[in-house]
Amino acid sequence: ADVILTTEDEVGPEAETLTTRPLVWIGAPGGQAWKQRPLRIAHEQRCIFRPGVIRRLDAAGVDWENAVDTQSSRTVEATVSADLAVHTMLSGSVPAHLEEIDHGGTLPDLRSFRINLYARTTPDNPAVEDLAALIRRAYAV
């Protein structure tokens, strides 16, 4: 791959950090799932955010359960859209059919993540640098 975006904490010299964004709780618009206990959460099995979210819930003493056990982001989104669970995403990446939960401190704060760009530019492929420049501008906002 010539261009990759990652959320790694440590990046090598071949990458650049574009921004840092907090992880936020999301749910169905006007949803109530975030108020229920145990808190029903929905993440893909291999979601990089899942272990840290679970640690934060445990540390805050919030009783929780997995609402779905899936490898599909569509299953997660359908479950959250139906107000059957909550999910976490990076601020600024929440789809229009979901919303950031204004929980007033009843859910634990979540950590921030770096958004990093790897771009393998070569003189014979200027499109990679053009794409990287577009991505840089998008995250500069």
Side-chain angles (χ1 to χ4, degrees):
D2 291 326
V3 178
I4 300 172
L5 286 172
T6 70
T7 54
E8 303 165 294
D9 286 328
E10 301 296 325
V11 295
E14 69 279 4
E16 64 183 286
T17 298
L18 301 175
T19 189
T20 301
R21 299 262 173 96
L23 197 61
V24 295
W25 294 100
I26 63 164
Q32 302 298 306
W34 65 274
K35 297 178 181 178
Q36 306 300 313
R37 298 296 181 270
L39 178 69
R40 295 174 51 85
I41 61 172
H43 288 91
E44 292 176 56
Q45 291 168 346
R46 294 184 179 188
C47 177
I48 190 170
F49 306 134
R50 182 179 174 175
V53 167
I54 291 170
R55 280 193 301 274
R56 297 282 175 125
L57 288 169
D58 288 344
V62 176
D63 192 23
W64 63 272
E65 66 184 13
N66 281 318
V68 294
D69 187 30
T70 185
Q71 294 181 21
S72 167
S73 60
R74 291 193 183 267
T75 301
V76 169
E77 284 198 27
T79 302
V80 175
S81 293
D83 199 28
L84 298 174
V86 298
H87 182 54
T88 56
M89 297 183 89
L90 292 174
S91 176
S93 66
V94 179
H97 63 281
L98 299 173
E99 69 180 15
E100 187 173 334
I101 297 169
D102 183 12
H103 56 81
T106 60
L107 295 174
D109 288 334
L110 302 168
R111 64 175 281 222
S112 294
F113 286 84
R114 294 178 184 174
I115 298 175
N116 307 303
L117 172 67
Y118 291 79
R120 186 179 321 157
T121 58
T122 59
D124 62 330
N125 192 356
V128 172
E129 184 53 45
D130 291 344
L131 177 58
L134 286 171
I135 293 170
R136 285 183 194 101
R137 276 198 302 273
Y139 281 98
V141 176

